[in-house]
């Protein structure tokens, strides 16, 4: 583990464009080393569909041990549509890591960067700056690999526990408080379907209990269908939202689409001790090896990692370094960088070079 400001980072580049977006993120962190008192030791490890093809496992035990010993985990993108387990599910070490290390809080920020197009009219003037917190170990995903399928029907079971919900809500309130201290709204909405399902009424009841311990945070309660409709009309009304695993999976893709798409969206899966940082996008095998991949989500995930390390170790310099990366990204997009998914001509190398220059 870390000593002062030196951090050991496990690097799981993954499949498809995973290694292509990971390389610029590492370059950015190396640049941060030159500009700050931080230092990093990166250790590469295999994970994903290609490792499954070679060994029959999504990850070797050595990768899991490395992740356990490291200060943080950087993950590229894992899985390939053509490579599947015998039950026809995709290879997904990113999901397995959540269960192995009890990473119950999936943090999915959605911030509209200057110069990036949004499909929402008025977003360029009003701005979008929100966070989806997705419970990442329970909900409908607790049934992963355990569902029962017969000739007549198929059944999956949703699980919501008090222990995980309490930790999730405490995490969410702390994040809202940190955002408020940084000049943002610091409001928190619980998103559920409590009007239909007892499990979600239980979920909301625990939220209400935890809310009483955080009176300074403005709270709201929304049904997921109404929330989704509101997001595509007035996303600037939202700050922090917390929800069950499957709802978070869907809503976080909606919010990523509001800020330019999955290529722009960073994420983290965080537990009490460990954390994984990765872009929201997939492995995109259709553009693999062509230099077209947008590394922005991966670079911003590295910035999230620095902010988490700062909070965990009380190291303000790491938080400042993360903010520097965000400002550099803002600068290059405001200056006219246009990734290929926006109809531009800038590929992986152009974007990486521009961010490094801005730093």
């Amino acid at each position: 583990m870390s000593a002062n400001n030196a951090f050991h980072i496990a690097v799981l580049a993954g499949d498809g464009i995973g290694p292509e977006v990971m390389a610029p993120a590492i370059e950015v962190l190396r640049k941060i080393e030159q500009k700050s008192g931080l230092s990093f030791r990166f250790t590469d490890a295999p994970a994903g569909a290609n490792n499954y093809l070679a060994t029959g496992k999504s990850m070797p035990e050595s990768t899991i041990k490395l992740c356990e010993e490291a200060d943080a985990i950087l993950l590229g993108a894992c899985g390939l549509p053509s490579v599947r387990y015998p039950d026809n599910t995709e290879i997904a070490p990113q999901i397995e890591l959540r269960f192995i290390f009890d990473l119950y809080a999936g943090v999915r920020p959605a911030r509209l960067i200057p110069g990036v197009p949004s499909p929402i009219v008025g977003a360029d003037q009003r701005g979008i700056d929100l966070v989806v917190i997705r419970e990442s170990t329970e909900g409908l995903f607790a049934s992963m690999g355990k569902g029962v399928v017969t000739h007549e029907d198929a059944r999956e079971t949703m699980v919501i526990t008090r222990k995980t919900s309490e930790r999730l809500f405490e995490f969410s309130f702390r994040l809202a408080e940190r955002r408020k201290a940084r000049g943002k709204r610091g409001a928190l909405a619980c998103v559920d379907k409590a009007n239909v399902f007892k499990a979600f009424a239980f979920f909301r009841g625990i939220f209400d209990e935890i809310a009483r311990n955080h009176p300074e945070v403005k709270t709201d309660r929304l049904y997921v269908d109404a929330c989704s409709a509101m997001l595509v009309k007035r996303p600037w009304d939202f700050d922090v939202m917390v929800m069950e695993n499957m709802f978070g999976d869907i809503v976080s893709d909606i919010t990523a689409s509001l800020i330019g798409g999955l290529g722009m969206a960073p994420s983290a899966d965080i537990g009490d001790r460990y954390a994984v940082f990765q872009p929201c996008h997939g492995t995109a095998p259709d553009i693999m090896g062509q230099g077209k991949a947008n590394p922005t989500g991966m670079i911003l995930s590295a910035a999230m990692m620095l902010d988490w390390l700062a909070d965990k170790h009380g190291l303000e310099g790491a938080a400042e370094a993360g903010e520097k990366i965000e400002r550099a990204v803002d600068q290059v997009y405001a200056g006219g960088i246009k990734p290929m998914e926006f109809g531009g001509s800038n590929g992986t190398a152009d974007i990486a070079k521009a961010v490094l220059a801005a730093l």
Side-chain angles (χ1 to χ4, degrees):
M1 300 299 283
S2 68
N4 300 322
N5 57 353
F7 298 105
H8 180 200
I9 310 301
V11 178
L12 283 57
D15 306 304
I17 63 170
E20 298 173 40
V21 298
M22 181 64 77
I26 299 299
E27 284 188 83
V28 165
L29 290 170
R30 288 295 189 202
K31 188 82 168 182
I32 287 293
E33 277 188 311
Q34 300 170 17
K35 302 288 184 178
S36 70
L38 303 173
S39 65
F40 304 103
R41 176 165 62 93
F42 300 104
T43 304
D44 295 314
N50 286 314
N51 193 75
Y52 177 77
L53 286 175
T55 68
K57 291 185 176 181
S58 65
M59 292 179 287
E61 287 299 321
S62 58
T63 292
I64 297 170
K65 188 173 189 300
L66 168 67
C67 291
E68 185 177 2
E69 294 172 348
D71 291 295
I73 303 156
L74 278 179
L75 183 64
C78 292
L80 294 170
S82 60
V83 182
R84 295 176 179 262
Y85 289 117
D87 65 0
N88 206 38
T89 57
E90 288 192 28
I91 314 305
Q94 65 273 27
I95 297 177
E96 294 168 35
L97 287 168
R98 296 169 194 164
F99 291 102
I100 292 169
F101 293 111
D102 195 19
L103 309 178
Y104 56 84
V107 183
R108 310 289 189 266
R111 182 175 66 89
L112 185 61
I113 292 171
V116 174
S118 171
I120 307 301
V121 175
D124 52 343
Q125 286 87 37
R126 301 293 296 270
I128 300 172
D129 188 349
L130 57 86
V131 182
V132 172
I133 302 179
R134 165 192 178 185
E135 195 288 313
S136 292
T137 61
E138 296 183 345
L140 195 56
F141 277 74
S143 189
M144 190 179 74
K146 303 172 186 175
V148 177
V149 180
T150 70
H151 180 70
E152 300 300 329
D153 62 21
R155 298 172 186 266
E156 305 278 4
T157 302
M158 181 171 67
V159 176
I160 292 176
T161 68
R162 172 171 289 277
K163 177 183 176 182
T164 295
S165 298
E166 286 178 345
R167 290 188 299 166
L168 177 74
F169 294 140
E170 287 289 358
F171 178 94
S172 302
F173 275 104
R174 288 197 304 272
L175 179 61
E177 289 164 354
R178 287 186 73 201
R179 283 171 64 85
K180 189 173 184 178
R182 294 177 178 182
K184 299 177 182 180
R185 288 178 59 212
L188 178 62
C190 178
V191 180
D192 55 45
K193 198 62 177 170
N195 57 330
V196 176
F197 295 101
K198 291 181 180 180
F200 285 118
F202 175 73
F203 188 73
R204 182 181 290 200
I206 298 170
F207 177 83
D208 291 340
E209 292 172 18
I210 302 300
R212 289 194 282 272
N213 300 327
H214 301 270
E216 68 283 3
V217 176
K218 183 182 183 299
T219 58
D220 203 353
R221 293 120 183 103
L222 299 169
Y223 300 135
V224 68
D225 45 350
C227 173
S228 299
M230 293 164 65
L231 274 170
V232 298
K233 288 184 175 181
R234 299 179 60 83
W236 44 81
D237 287 346
F238 289 86
D239 190 29
V240 184
M241 297 174 282
V242 59
M243 61 199 74
E244 176 270 339
N245 207 334
M246 179 60 81
F247 287 168
D249 190 18
I250 297 166
V251 171
S252 61
D253 273 21
I254 294 174
T255 57
S257 298
L258 305 181
I259 60 159
L262 293 173
M264 300 297 299
S267 79
D269 288 305
I270 298 174
D272 291 335
R273 182 179 176 188
Y274 302 97
V276 173
F277 301 86
Q278 66 177 118
C280 287
H281 63 71
T283 54
D286 56 320
I287 61 168
M288 179 177 60
Q290 300 173 40
K292 295 179 179 180
N294 183 355
T296 306
M298 186 75 245
I299 291 170
L300 291 175
S301 296
M304 287 184 71
M305 179 187 75
L306 294 176
D307 189 64
W308 178 77
L309 287 169
D311 186 50
K312 185 175 177 63
H313 296 279
L315 194 61
E316 189 57 35
E320 292 171 358
E323 291 171 359
K324 284 180 183 178
I325 294 173
E326 289 186 355
R327 288 196 297 270
V329 170
D330 287 4
Q331 182 179 327
V332 302
Y333 276 94
I337 278 283
K338 195 172 183 181
M340 293 182 182
E341 66 260 39
F342 301 160
S345 60
N346 298 122
T348 313
D350 289 342
I351 297 167
K353 183 179 178 181
V355 173
L356 289 167
L359 282 170

